[in-house]
Amino acid sequence: MHPAFQCLMPLSVNDTVNDAVTEVWLDIEVGGLASRAEMKSGLTRLGGATADVVIPGAPDGELHLWSDPPKIVHVSGQTPLEVAGEVLTEASLVAGKDLVWGRVTLRLGRGAPVIEELPMASAQATGTAAPTGSDDRGTQRVRAGLAIELGLADKAVLRRWQDAVISNEFNADACAREVLAGVQLAADDPRLMERSGRLLRDFLMSSLQRGVQGASRKARAQARSGTAYLVANIVAIGVYSAILLVIMVLVRVKWQFSFDHFLDFLLGRGPL
């Protein structure tokens, strides 16, 4: 059996947080030899140099297996991925449907759900809350994004999901779950509160940066900056002029030098 990978499907029951955990696995058959790999949340690589699951006898190339929604993507290699004789680059994983990749046959399997209770104290201790509805999907996505911005997310996870974005295989919910799984970030963490407050302020003021109001604000800001620039230059010129005047007075007093004769000499009106 290959290394185990687990995928949890949370479900809220009454006032106590309970998880309905359905066992999900992938049956792998190569030349009559069968093995099983349980799916993990997010991305699992099959084949290739960086494979998460090594399949002896697999053709050259790489497949990407996603858990939510379950699908498989043919990423590289000359051997095609076939479903019922049809060559596909991407296929949904449905229980009982065979996917053929050269000598390898892949099949999704699901077991009966098992109710597992997650104590509220444990969820609070880890700084994460079990999703209770569709609204929490957005919350988890935002928290994951803030965790990434604050530099708290695991770099290996970030690189894997950056590759997924480049490959057009990004899944926001799976990414948020995987990022938050490796981050200890309480809901009232000061860093989260400070950054989310600034983000809310930016959202609040964004409408004032567009249209006529936005143009008016930019014009006033530019006018203020232009006035400040002019005043600063006038003050600088005045200071330089005052310094030059003081130097001229000192030269006149100490060496009896006449600047009038010097200017007449420059203009060719007489000797120095």
Side-chain angles (χ1 to χ4, degrees):
M1 180 179 294
H2 293 284
F5 297 95
Q6 190 172 21
C7 175
L8 301 181
M9 303 177 63
L11 175 67
S12 175
V13 179
N14 298 328
D15 296 330
T16 304
V17 179
N18 292 295
D19 285 341
V21 182
T22 302
E23 293 185 2
V24 181
W25 65 85
L26 189 68
D27 287 324
I28 304 172
E29 184 177 335
V30 183
L33 299 178
S35 60
R36 175 176 295 182
E38 296 183 9
M39 291 176 58
K40 71 174 183 179
S41 176
L43 170 64
T44 302
R45 291 181 172 89
L46 305 178
T50 59
D52 298 311
V53 176
V54 178
I55 305 176
D60 293 334
E62 185 174 351
L63 301 179
H64 282 185
L65 177 65
W66 294 92
S67 63
D68 186 14
K71 68 175 181 178
I72 193 164
V73 180
H74 184 268
V75 177
S76 62
Q78 299 296 322
T79 304
L81 178 67
E82 300 181 22
V83 179
E86 182 182 1
V87 176
L88 300 174
T89 57
E90 178 178 324
S92 299
L93 285 174
V94 180
K97 182 171 68 175
D98 290 348
L99 295 91
V100 179
W101 185 38
R103 298 177 57 235
V104 180
T105 300
L106 306 171
R107 186 181 306 107
L108 181 70
R110 291 181 180 271
V114 179
I115 302 300
E116 217 176 77
E117 183 175 333
L118 176 65
M120 289 297 294
S122 299
Q124 293 173 357
T126 59
T128 58
T132 57
S134 59
D135 290 344
D136 281 303
R137 294 177 59 197
T139 302
Q140 296 301 311
R141 292 181 184 186
V142 173
R143 289 189 62 201
L146 292 177
I148 293 171
E149 185 180 80
L150 292 171
L152 304 176
D154 184 83
K155 290 183 174 55
V157 174
L158 292 184
R159 284 194 296 270
R160 184 161 64 250
W161 281 105
Q162 287 166 351
D163 293 341
V165 172
I166 295 174
S167 303
N168 198 27
E169 299 174 11
F170 177 68
N171 184 294
D173 293 329
C175 176
R177 286 196 299 270
E178 191 167 355
V179 168
L180 292 178
V183 173
Q184 295 295 330
L185 186 62
D188 57 350
D189 188 288
R191 297 167 297 180
L192 182 63
M193 292 295 96
E194 192 275 336
R195 182 63 187 98
S196 59
R198 287 191 288 114
L199 185 63
L200 177 60
R201 182 191 62 188
D202 293 342
F203 287 149
L204 184 64
M205 299 302 293
S206 62
S207 62
L208 298 180
Q209 305 299 325
R210 299 190 297 267
V212 176
Q213 287 185 336
S216 177
R217 288 170 61 88
K218 290 179 181 178
R220 289 197 298 270
Q222 291 175 353
R224 287 195 295 269
S225 61
T227 303
Y229 177 78
L230 180 61
V231 170
N233 279 274
I234 292 175
V235 171
I237 293 173
V239 171
Y240 296 150
S241 300
I243 294 174
L244 182 60
L245 180 60
V246 170
I247 294 174
M248 293 174 66
V249 170
L250 292 176
V251 170
R252 177 61 178 170
V253 170
K254 187 171 183 178
W255 291 288
Q256 300 299 315
F257 182 81
S258 175
F259 286 97
D260 291 340
H261 293 166
F262 178 70
L263 293 176
D264 288 338
F265 172 75
L266 292 179
L267 295 173
R269 295 178 180 179
L272 182 61

